[in-house]
Amino acid sequence: SDAQGTPVGGAQARESEHLSLEYVHVAQDWRRDRDSIDLLLQQYRLFAACFGMMGALFAMAQHEMVVQGYDPYGGLVTTLKAACTACTAMCLLRIYRIYMLVELFGRVVRHITNLHPLDVQVPVALPLSIRSFWLEVIVVGTHVPPFVTMEVGFLNFDNFVLYRAETLGALW
């Protein structure tokens, strides 16, 4: 501080802040902005998790109703199965979009760090060529659709155990 109480170099610091902000580039297209893509990734991951949890809750509810004696082909159980199917579809669509955004994010990072040319047009079929995407589709997409019910039996230490599809769907 000098005698007047202003920090030494204060004017220089303000001037350098002004000059450094002068060269900041703000992307007009959200596909070129790393922060926008990161925010979208967070939102899509949150939505995918919410739809996945809602689907699991619907699967548990249909299982409990069947255990309580409701007809597996009845309207209420079928409605819960339809809700579970809708949540599964929404979750899978979000997962697909996440894979697209992860690729776009990687392209932006490579552009910033290595000065690679930036192509923001991610092919629609790109996630279909990634093995982990298909693993997620199998894990998330396995459920009991509406109007489907069956029993599956196992022999376990000389005991025959019979499971309903709704039970297996709720456990998956």
Side-chain angles (χ1 to χ4, degrees):
S1 260
D2 63 5
Q4 297 172 345
T6 56
V8 175
Q12 291 174 343
R14 282 191 298 273
E15 183 178 320
S16 73
E17 286 175 14
H18 175 70
L19 290 176
S20 65
L21 291 177
E22 183 177 323
Y23 296 104
V24 171
H25 174 71
V26 177
Q28 299 296 326
D29 185 4
W30 67 268
R31 296 174 300 172
R32 297 178 178 276
D33 184 13
R34 181 177 53 181
D35 294 334
S36 295
I37 298 169
D38 191 36
L39 180 64
L40 279 173
L41 274 168
Q42 290 175 11
Q43 291 172 348
Y44 274 91
R45 287 177 175 141
L46 176 66
F47 288 137
C50 288
F51 282 120
M53 290 302 296
M54 286 191 317
L57 290 173
F58 287 131
M60 287 186 276
Q62 74 191 17
H63 162 70
E64 286 300 319
M65 292 186 70
V66 170
V67 168
Q68 295 296 323
Y70 285 81
D71 179 19
Y73 292 107
L76 194 52
V77 175
T78 301
T79 302
L80 288 171
K81 288 180 183 180
C84 182
T85 299
C87 287
T88 300
M90 293 302 289
C91 185
L92 288 173
L93 288 172
R94 296 305 180 268
I95 290 171
Y96 174 82
R97 186 70 175 143
I98 289 167
Y99 275 86
M100 297 284 286
L101 288 171
V102 165
E103 172 64 23
L104 182 59
F105 187 82
R107 289 179 181 195
V108 170
V109 168
R110 283 190 299 277
H111 172 72
I112 292 170
T113 57
N114 300 333
L115 298 177
H116 284 242
L118 180 59
D119 180 16
V120 295
Q121 301 298 326
V122 179
V124 176
L126 181 91
L128 304 178
S129 65
I130 301 172
R131 288 184 183 178
S132 61
F133 171 76
W134 288 108
L135 179 64
E136 287 192 57
V137 167
I138 291 169
V139 170
V140 173
T142 304
H143 71 287
V144 182
F147 308 110
V148 173
T149 188
M150 64 183 155
E151 295 83 24
V152 179
F154 298 99
L155 188 60
N156 186 9
F157 296 112
D158 296 327
N159 293 319
F160 187 73
V161 181
L162 185 68
Y163 293 106
R164 293 207 57 92
E166 291 79 12
T167 301
L168 296 176
L171 292 174
W172 181 258

